[in-house]
Amino acid sequence: MKKIGLVTEEGADLPQEIIEKYQIAVAPIKMDWPEIENLPGKNTFQKMREAEKRGIKSFAKTSQPSPKDFIDVFKKQLEKFEKALCITLTSKHSGTYNSAIQAKNFLKSEEKRIFIVDSLNASAGEGLLVLRAVDLIEEGKEIEEIVKEAEKLIPQVHLIGIVEDPKWLEASGRISHLLANWVRRIAKIGVRPLLGIKKGIITSVGIKTGAKDIPGALFRQFKAETKRLRKESKKIRVAITHGDDLLGAKRLKEMIEKEFKDTEIAFLNLIDDVLGTLVGPGSLIYAWCEI
């Protein structure tokens, strides 16, 4: 029996090849949006674009994995591993962490074998925390030490993103119509708000000028944020997620790899439905941390 198995949910946006390689159990996130189910499109973002073309005004309802979902993935991992380490979406925006705790409490006989960490992050940021746990498992660390290391890393995982259009944030009620119109106006002159996560809460963390080119703007932001660490020759790991803008995501990846050859791009993937239905098509996100 292997020592430690990892558990997370779809909000970590990990590619399938990473999930399979490291035998990560993933609890499902649910989305209820019947109006777009039968629309053409390979993913939710393409269906959202089609819904917009057709004038569909409804909005998605999403929900975290249930305690039963976590019970199932915990049981799956505990059949193969001595202990299970679960890393969840930020508890400030999702009930995922609470569902995982309820599942652990239900599994009385296995309770001492389950450890749960609130990432206080999402998407690429949460995914980076899972990958750091993978590193520590491969180094042979005990699970208690991994939990401590993960909790220390949480405030050092930085996530930044830009939305193509604030209409989805407005439709969900996350921002007002007045603010959404202001964001649209300044976008016309190449100024866009930067979204980030502070203490587990998705919030505006500044504005970026010259941001008509979203990948270029995010590259310049990354360059500025990591300047000190790169001067000190620190190793940086990056993950990139996107709202059906694969070309933009690949371009950001290529710019980082070309200029900063020692920086590791851990993965590039679609944004999950929970965050994706808020930020909308064309959004681009990166997260980074020192490793």
Side-chain angles (χ1 to χ4, degrees):
M1 221 181 189
K2 295 181 180 178
K3 288 182 72 172
I4 303 168
L6 285 169
V7 174
T8 188
E9 29 47 37
E10 291 174 336
D13 292 344
L14 292 168
Q16 191 60 34
E17 57 267 26
I18 288 178
I19 291 167
E20 292 175 2
K21 180 177 180 180
Y22 298 113
Q23 299 180 66
I24 301 168
V26 181
I29 285 171
K30 302 169 184 70
M31 181 179 76
D32 180 25
W33 198 352
E35 291 86 352
I36 75 164
E37 283 177 7
N38 296 318
L39 294 182
K42 294 179 180 178
N43 57 56
T44 297
F45 298 104
Q46 292 178 10
K47 291 175 182 287
M48 289 169 79
R49 289 192 181 104
E50 185 63 26
E52 187 180 11
K53 286 179 190 173
R54 299 188 186 195
I56 295 172
K57 301 295 185 183
S58 62
F59 188 75
K61 293 178 182 177
T62 58
S63 58
Q64 72 269 10
S66 68
K68 172 65 166 59
D69 293 323
F70 275 111
I71 287 169
D72 291 343
V73 292
F74 286 156
K75 284 182 174 179
K76 175 184 174 182
Q77 291 301 69
L78 293 175
E79 288 174 359
K80 298 184 290 184
F81 299 92
E82 292 177 15
K83 296 176 182 177
L85 172 60
C86 176
I87 297 175
T88 74
L89 266 167
T90 171
S91 61
K92 305 293 185 180
H93 286 289
S94 169
T96 301
Y97 175 74
N98 188 50
S99 284
I101 292 290
Q102 288 181 53
K104 174 181 175 176
N105 293 339
F106 181 84
L107 295 169
K108 294 292 184 185
S109 61
E110 309 291 358
E111 197 172 359
K112 292 182 179 178
R113 298 172 63 197
I114 300 168
F115 295 75
I116 302 170
V117 174
D118 178 357
S119 75
L120 292 177
N121 218 306
S123 190
E126 182 186 357
L128 286 182
L129 200 63
V130 175
L131 289 182
R132 185 60 186 142
V134 168
D135 293 341
L136 296 169
I137 290 169
E138 293 189 333
E139 290 171 16
K141 305 283 188 185
E142 296 296 329
I143 196 163
E144 292 84 0
E145 190 175 358
I146 294 171
V147 169
K148 286 180 183 176
E149 287 290 324
E151 289 173 345
K152 279 171 55 180
L153 182 63
I154 286 168
Q156 299 169 42
V157 178
H158 307 273
L159 180 142
I160 296 289
I162 292 177
V163 301
E164 185 177 73
D165 193 310
K167 69 180 72 175
W168 305 103
L169 286 166
E170 179 187 358
S172 69
R174 294 303 196 280
I175 64 173
S176 68
H177 179 67
L178 190 66
L179 180 56
N181 277 341
W182 175 77
V183 171
R184 291 185 192 101
R185 284 199 302 273
I186 65 171
K188 290 177 181 177
I189 58 170
V191 179
R192 293 182 187 268
L194 294 172
L195 292 178
I197 292 184
K198 287 188 174 181
K199 297 181 179 179
I201 297 172
I202 299 169
T203 185
S204 174
V205 293
I207 59 171
K208 197 71 182 171
T209 58
K212 285 187 176 180
D213 170 20
I214 292 176
L218 288 178
F219 171 73
R220 293 192 300 276
Q221 180 68 20
F222 173 78
K223 185 175 181 178
E225 286 179 344
T226 59
K227 182 177 180 181
R228 179 184 60 80
L229 288 177
R230 288 184 286 101
K231 273 191 173 182
E232 296 172 0
S233 299
K234 302 291 187 182
K235 187 166 178 58
I236 296 168
R237 177 179 283 162
V238 178
I240 298 168
T241 55
H242 63 95
D244 196 45
D245 181 15
L246 184 57
L247 288 177
K250 284 184 173 179
R251 189 161 155 254
L252 176 58
K253 176 179 181 286
E254 288 163 3
M255 285 190 284
I256 292 172
E257 287 178 331
K258 182 178 179 181
E259 185 147 348
F260 312 126
K261 300 193 184 302
D262 291 333
T263 296
E264 172 195 332
I265 307 294
F267 67 86
L268 185 157
N269 203 15
L270 274 175
I271 301 169
D272 62 277
D273 287 343
V274 168
L275 185 58
T277 54
L278 296 179
V279 298
S283 299
L284 192 55
I285 292 170
Y286 72 83
W288 66 269
C289 63
E290 181 187 343
I291 55 172

